Amino acid sequence: MTTRDGTTREKVLILDFGGQYTHLIARRCREAGVYSEIVPFNISPEEVGRYGNVKALIFSGGPRSVYEDGAPHPNRELLELNIPVLGICYGHQLLAEKCGGRVVRGSKAEYGRTTVNLVGDSKLFSTLPKRIEAWMSHGDAVLEPPEGFKVTAVSEDNLIAAMENPEKRLYSVQFHVEVKHTPLGREILRNFLKNVAGCKFDWRPLDTLGEMVRNVAETVAEYEKVICGVSGGVDSMTTAAIIQRAIGDRLHVIFIDHGLLRKGERELVLESLRRLQIENIHFVDASREFLTALKGVRDSEEKRRIIGRLFVEVFERTAADIDGVKYLAQGTIYPDRVESGATGALTSLIKSHHNVAGLPERLGLKLIEPLKDLYKDEVREIARALGLPSSVIDRHPFPGPGLAVRIEGEVTAEKLRICQEANAIVEEEFRRAGLYGSVWQAFAVVLDSRWVGVKGDARSVGHIVVIRAVTSEDGMTADWYPIPAELMDRISRRITNEVEGVVMVAYAITSKPPATIEPY
Ligand code: XMP
């Protein structure tokens, strides 16, 4: 039988009911070794069949109440396919409602860390202690389990925290097994995948490398060329490396320096491209053009718009000089493409890459996106196998508009210099302390506000630099990171001593929400 992806690989489908953790569920399955994809909540049984070897369905969380008008419900027939189902949070309530149980607005809402008592002998919990810590986020509750179901976990408030019908292979949990605040959640998910769904755990992202290279080689005819824009980030560099493997010197790489890169980044990217033996590198130093266009512009959104527009212009100009190009390769990855949760409005939508939106259409090129089904960690694994340097692979995320988003108000040459130097110091000191890999991002921001400084007897005013460090799993939410005092002290001293024009270093201690990670 021909499946959607042409393979018989075992997979789990996650029905997206709009929960904020849908991508996390998919990632956790893959980390365990089972390939998973996010699908619209209203997927039909026939469509499920087209996926081929589907070992389980997972119903995600979601913001609605199952009994509300217009609330998303799955096709009832999915429960008759004899495919195991795991419902999580809203998914747990759906399963109850669909099978004839009772879901009501809970007398008490449960949010955050809770303790759950495991009762009975569920295959989900067989390896766990009888009391576990679990992350809850719900106002509704299952009051009565459906007929044929037994309760397998109870919360502190005596609400049904898990239930199952083992004969029908239907299982559900009120708490979120996919978040790290449920420390044994991964084990529960693994137990479901192993003991209930009978998965073989054979997903290895690296196995797809050969497939990706072959696909590109088969897609692009022998006389055709591919252009690929690189930013220095792991996604675009890995894309370039894959295309290079597939078609060699018919790959043309475009690298535009908009002047807002991190210190030493230009050299690092060029050196990495050379090491990948990419022959056709079109490097454009457009920094002067970008800085001129940004002159006098103070508004953040306006800055982003100007940078985005100019980037497309420079890219088009550069691409126009290369003959015989038929394809544009982009480093789009799975979460770029499949939105879920609050932004996905209950269906899995396709979004264009936010930094270079519209480029393929404007250039009249067909798109190649070899990484489109992978998560960042999986891309990193492939990047390692392709020989990319760890300085590229493990580098913190960096926004497309570059340091412009870390400079308050106008991007002047002075503030840009301060921002570059200060960011380099933060990065260097985090690495030296062995903490670079412990945070999602750590960076420096330059404010317009000044602080009065003293040097000997002389007074001078200087800029304020704000240090921000956060931990995060996907950038959607983030916790501020408590930088050890000695490291903070070293960073602060070095910035005020070494970066001319800075008098004060401050420390941002707010999580996301309410504050975004990047300030502007
Ligand atoms: P915020 O600041 O929205 O950022 O909390 C979440 C993550 O996205 C990165 N970011 C961007 N990346 N273009 C990008 O490619 C952008 O315009 C952009 N703005 C923010 C940010 O660094 C963080 O990792």
Side-chain angles (χ1 to χ4, degrees), residues 37-84:
E37 280 195 31
I38 297 170
V39 297
F41 68 87
N42 53 1
I43 188 169
S44 67
E46 295 73 35
E47 187 58 23
V48 169
R50 277 196 279 280
Y51 274 88
N53 192 8
V54 176
K55 303 294 280 186
L57 303 175
I58 298 182
F59 294 175
S60 82
R64 306 286 295 270
S65 288
V66 296
Y67 46 77
E68 253 172 34
D69 273 354
H73 279 240
N75 187 317
R76 177 71 181 77
E77 289 167 32
L78 294 181
L79 303 179
E80 309 299 333
L81 298 175
N82 196 28
I83 297 177

Side-chain angles (χ1 to χ4, degrees), residues 304 354-355 397-401 406 440-441 475 512 516-518:
R304 279 170 186 265
H354 50 271
N355 293 323
F398 188 61
R406 297 182 185 164
W440 171 263
Q441 278 172 305
K512 174 184 178 177
T516 51
I517 299 176
E518 305 280 358

